Amino acid sequence: MNNSEHISQELWERFERYLDHSMDESERLEFESQLSSNPDLRAQLDEAEQLISGIETAVLQSKLNEFHEDITPVRPITPPEKRKNRTWMWSVAAVLVATIGLFWIFDTGSETEKLFAKHFTPDPGLPTTMGENPNYNFYDGMVNYKQGDYKSALQKWEELDEHSIGLDTLNYFKGVAYLAEGNTEKSIGFLQSLWDSEENSFQSETAYYLGMAYLKNRNIEDAIKYLTFSKTAEAEIILLEIKD
Amino acid sequence: MGDTNQIATQERLVTAVKNNDEKVLKQLYQESFSKIEVYILKNNGTSPQAKDIYQEAFIAVWQNVKKDKFTPSNESALQGYLYQVARNKWTDYLRSSHFKKTSSMDTDFQLQDSSEENFEGEDRNMSDTMAAFRLLGDECRQLLSQFYFEKRSLREIASMFKIGEASARNKKYRCINKLRELVTAP
């Protein structure tokens, strides 16, 4: 800031009134006319605006730290380099499958359907962004998705260039939308390839919906396997109900 | 009709953000963080990085809302905008030379102090003001914060500080001058 000229209290308060739009029409017009003919006055107004904005931003920044303290930490996520080592998870899943499988008296058809229907809720979706967004078509489909119109969402998403939003995001929501629509085969296709890929921002969620897709498909063994991987609270509840 | 209502809700949200409504800012901040944190954690980031990037994005969004550079177009436009800005900032960071340097050195990442680093070019003045504001005495910081951020009237401030309204007005002016001195000090 290089404008260190004196600003009188009266002028400062005029700046404030102008900046917070509290001048009446005649005062504003007169002030704007002065501004247009007096570059020094304009420079001082700019300085006042920057000062006030700086004060507000400094206060907000300190408040953000306070807001942050109240946030519950997100569940820990496996870093990408460790994701490949899933051996132990497969072992846990295998033991579970064996234990549960031995005592399995599930009347597969109706029971798995009931369990699926009881617990399945589609991912709430991503916040939809402004119209000018370069990923407009994706978010346009997301609006349909959030309204429960999976068919329209999928139509829009199927036409998308895979790189427009990120392959993992696209495949994840396609997988969930197909599942919500009842097309488990297609759902598994997208979710399984996503699970097998390295680039996946929705690791835990993918496993969860993959497990749900297998559950709906009456494939209990894979359902248990992926629900175990997902480690979400919801998956644990379903696993307990399967055991029961 | 539903969309109209939701956009009206967004417009109320935008107005509240412009007015620095603390309750609304807090809710917006807290409800949108986890999605961005998950994104950054899954993309080579850490929790402290997610916090820094998110706060940077939050401030940028808040400034744009205040400058009328943002108009809601759907039911979750502001939240979506915040998410997009944070994602872009993280992408920019991953592409930056700073990230490549720290990665190649295999050292723990440290974002630059966001208050210093986030404001470049014309925003340099903003950064100077923010730094100067922190150097002000407690009373001036409180008073300016109540007036300019909380949008309290001089009467309310006078009662808060147990002084007359005229004193509050003069005190505010003195604090502004003090701040200007600190900003322009070499």
Side-chain angles (χ1 to χ4, degrees):
Chain A
M1 205 158 299
N2 50 24
N3 196 323
S4 56
E5 286 171 36
H6 176 72
I7 299 177
S8 72
Q9 184 165 5
E10 191 197 350
L11 182 57
W12 179 264
E13 289 171 355
R14 251 185 125 189
F15 288 156
E16 287 177 345
R17 286 201 304 282
Y18 181 71
L19 292 170
D20 72 12
H21 312 288
S22 60
M23 277 184 173
D24 63 34
E25 182 77 357
S26 62
E27 189 187 11
R28 185 178 61 80
L29 290 174
E30 190 206 331
F31 185 64
E32 283 176 351
S33 145
Q34 288 174 10
L35 283 175
S36 59
S37 62
N38 185 346
D40 289 343
L41 185 67
R42 164 60 69 182
Q44 287 183 323
L45 174 69
D46 289 345
E47 187 200 345
E49 189 172 16
Q50 281 162 3
L51 268 181
I52 292 171
S53 180
I55 293 168
E56 285 189 77
T57 310
V59 176
L60 177 66
Q61 195 158 54
S62 67
K63 287 193 184 288
L64 295 188
N65 289 324
E66 290 168 24
F67 299 166
H68 205 91
E69 284 170 12
D70 296 341
I71 292 181
T72 317
V74 75
R75 62 192 181 283
I77 289 164
T78 320
E81 63 274 14
K82 290 179 187 166
R83 272 191 223 153
K84 283 181 186 170
N85 185 10
R86 291 179 185 149
T87 326
W88 70 271
M89 290 171 75
W90 284 106
S91 317
V92 172
V95 170
L96 258 173
V97 169
T99 317
I100 298 166
L102 284 176
F103 304 101
W104 197 256
I105 330 169
F106 230 78
D107 172 11
T108 45
S110 61
E111 292 297 330
T112 52
E113 287 283 344
K114 272 187 212 161
L115 208 50
F116 175 85
K118 181 178 168 191
H119 290 283
F120 177 74
T121 40
D123 185 294
L126 295 179
T128 39
T129 56
M130 297 176 300
E132 287 163 21
N133 192 285
N135 298 320
Y136 176 77
N137 288 334
F138 174 78
Y139 286 104
D140 192 28
M142 185 55 75
V143 171
N144 297 127
Y145 173 93
K146 289 167 93 165
Q147 289 165 344
D149 181 2
Y150 305 110
K151 196 174 172 189
S152 304
L154 284 163
Q155 265 171 5
K156 287 169 189 169
W157 291 343
E158 286 293 2
E159 288 166 12
L160 279 183
D161 172 4
E162 288 177 344
H163 301 291
S164 60
I165 182 75
L167 188 56
D168 56 342
T169 309
L170 188 58
N171 282 349
Y172 171 73
F173 282 106
K174 275 188 193 171
V176 179
Y178 273 117
L179 185 57
E181 234 205 352
N183 188 338
T184 48
E185 291 307 324
K186 279 211 166 187
S187 172
I188 289 171
F190 282 110
L191 294 174
Q192 188 71 64
S193 73
L194 183 57
W195 172 261
D196 295 336
S197 75
E198 283 308 309
E199 191 192 339
N200 180 4
S201 307
F202 305 90
Q203 187 89 348
S204 169
E205 294 91 337
T206 304
Y208 174 72
Y209 285 109
L210 195 50
M212 290 303 278
Y214 281 121
L215 186 66
K216 189 165 170 52
N217 231 13
R218 303 177 188 182
N219 180 342
I220 301 295
E221 193 175 324
D222 283 335
I224 293 170
K225 195 188 296 174
Y226 288 101
L227 287 171
T228 308
F229 288 161
S230 108
K231 294 194 274 186
T232 58
E234 187 67 18
E236 279 170 27
I237 292 169
I238 301 170
L239 285 168
L240 280 174
E241 288 190 25
I242 292 176
K243 275 190 201 176
D244 292 342
Chain B
M1 187 64 194
D3 285 354
T4 316
N5 284 338
Q6 283 164 339
I7 288 173
T9 306
Q10 277 280 313
E11 281 165 357
R12 282 198 295 277
L13 174 63
V14 164
T15 306
V17 168
K18 276 187 187 171
N19 292 332
N20 299 333
D21 183 322
E22 184 162 341
K23 208 170 149 190
V24 169
L25 287 172
K26 184 174 184 176
Q27 191 184 342
L28 177 67
Y29 181 94
Q30 295 187 335
E31 75 180 12
S32 303
F33 177 67
S34 65
K35 200 111 197 160
I36 289 158
E37 186 183 26
V38 167
Y39 175 78
I40 291 176
L41 290 177
K42 299 271 185 175
N43 286 280
N44 297 314
T46 64
S47 280
Q49 287 173 319
K51 180 185 168 191
D52 285 345
I53 286 286
Y54 181 59
Q55 292 197 347
E56 226 182 88
F58 195 92
I59 287 173
V61 165
W62 169 79
Q63 284 174 338
N64 283 347
V65 166
K66 279 182 167 297
K67 290 177 191 159
D68 287 324
K69 288 183 182 171
F70 167 81
T71 311
S73 61
N74 60 43
E75 80 278 13
S76 58
L78 189 60
Q79 292 87 338
Y81 180 47
L82 177 56
Y83 180 73
Q84 203 61 41
V85 171
R87 267 184 80 137
N88 291 347
K89 280 187 180 288
W90 182 243
T91 308
D92 287 347
Y93 177 74
L94 291 179
R95 287 180 186 147
S96 70
S97 53
H98 181 72
F99 173 75
K100 285 171 186 160
K101 198 170 139 201
T102 50
S103 299
S104 65
M105 286 164 70
D106 201 23
T107 55
D108 283 340
F109 165 92
Q110 182 101 48
L111 267 185
Q112 301 280 333
D113 179 349
S114 52
S115 60
E116 300 300 321
E117 182 67 13
N118 303 340
F119 304 100
E120 292 171 2
E122 66 171 32
D123 292 335
R124 190 71 234 165
N125 291 338
M126 165 83 74
S127 155
D128 289 345
T129 309
M130 290 170 70
F133 180 76
R134 293 189 192 96
L135 295 175
L136 279 177
D138 192 43
E139 200 172 50
C140 272
R141 263 190 292 118
Q142 283 295 328
L143 196 151
L144 296 180
S145 161
Q146 290 298 329
F147 187 80
Y148 293 107
F149 186 86
E150 310 284 352
K151 314 286 184 201
R152 289 192 199 280
S153 67
L154 282 176
R155 181 176 295 175
E156 288 174 301
I157 291 172
S159 136
M160 205 180 282
F161 284 77
K162 297 186 170 59
I163 51 177
E165 200 172 324
S167 302
R169 176 178 168 235
N170 294 335
K171 207 175 199 27
K172 171 169 73 69
Y173 180 63
R174 281 200 299 276
C175 290
I176 280 294
N177 278 334
K178 181 76 191 159
L179 181 65
R180 290 185 74 214
E181 278 170 30
L182 287 168
V183 171
T184 51

